[in-house]
Amino acid sequence: MSSSTSPEPRVTRRSLPTRMLRAARLDGRLYAEVRADSAGTAQAVAVVALVGVAHGLGTIVRALLAGWAPGAAVLVAVLAEVAFWAVLSSAVYLVGRHVLGATVAYGQVLRPLGFASAPGLFILGASVASGVGAEAPALAALALWRLAAYFVDVRHALGLGMARSIAALVVGVAATLMILVALTGALWRVLEPE
């Protein structure tokens, strides 16, 4: 761990809602706490799943407001959110550890990144905003909030300085988007009716 970070925090068991609120507030101490809490993986999975459900419900709201059938929106959204989390965690871990020299285990990146997705719960509000024509600004604000949470998390998870944390996050997000776009394209070709 870099000398620019504080020592590992004492792990205190906190409720999931409290941790999610702290994550959404960009509380750096929460990300350090979750990094050190090896028993917190189930909570991180729960956060990602809840964000996926919110995303799915938001898709249903947008579909109903637009007059089209929502289909399996919740299932697809949960799977997409979990895939994004797993791939992003892997990419940030690999870049941070093997390229930038962070001394971190995979779980120490995985858990905090799960909590960093907490602002994504507000996707449902952005979907409701689509009913009044304000979806784009709401989604832009939400995307910036999530990126800020990811940055605070990556900085604490990797224990690197600002520039190296930004580099790990940018490479991680870019790699994640490329991988998920490729997987989506392949899945679409498989499922596309002939």
Side-chain angles (χ1 to χ4, degrees):
M1 182 177 305
S2 163
S3 60
S4 66
T5 60
S6 57
E8 291 292 327
R10 194 179 104 238
V11 176
T12 12
R13 297 301 314 170
R14 303 227 192 243
S15 72
L16 181 60
T18 299
R19 280 183 159 181
M20 289 172 62
L21 182 59
R22 290 175 61 204
R25 289 181 178 167
L26 309 179
D27 180 350
R29 292 172 305 197
L30 174 270
Y31 294 111
E33 175 185 305
V34 172
R35 176 186 190 258
D37 182 8
S38 61
T41 304
Q43 284 188 335
V45 170
V47 174
V48 173
L50 287 169
V51 171
V53 169
H55 198 135
L57 293 174
T59 301
I60 291 170
V61 168
R62 283 192 305 278
L64 294 174
L65 289 172
W68 43 272
V74 175
L75 178 62
V76 170
V78 170
L79 293 175
E81 201 66 49
V82 170
F84 184 84
W85 173 51
V87 174
L88 180 61
S89 297
S90 298
V92 167
Y93 168 74
L94 291 171
V95 169
R97 176 148 185 162
H98 298 290
V99 176
L100 300 174
T103 54
V104 64
Y106 178 64
Q108 294 174 314
V109 175
L110 181 76
R111 285 186 300 276
L113 270 171
F115 278 90
S117 67
L121 288 168
F122 291 96
I123 189 78
L124 191 53
S127 298
V128 171
S130 69
V132 294
E135 183 178 26
L139 287 174
L142 184 57
L144 290 174
W145 189 5
R146 280 188 81 165
L147 277 174
Y150 288 143
F151 170 72
V152 172
D153 159 60
V154 167
R155 189 156 184 202
H156 285 275
L158 296 179
L160 300 172
M162 184 180 299
R164 292 167 92 185
S165 296
I166 290 171
L169 182 59
V170 167
V171 171
V173 168
T176 300
L177 292 176
M178 289 186 321
I179 290 168
L180 293 180
V181 165
L183 288 173
T184 301
L187 183 61
W188 183 259
R189 283 189 297 280
V190 168
L191 298 177
E192 186 176 33
E194 294 183 30

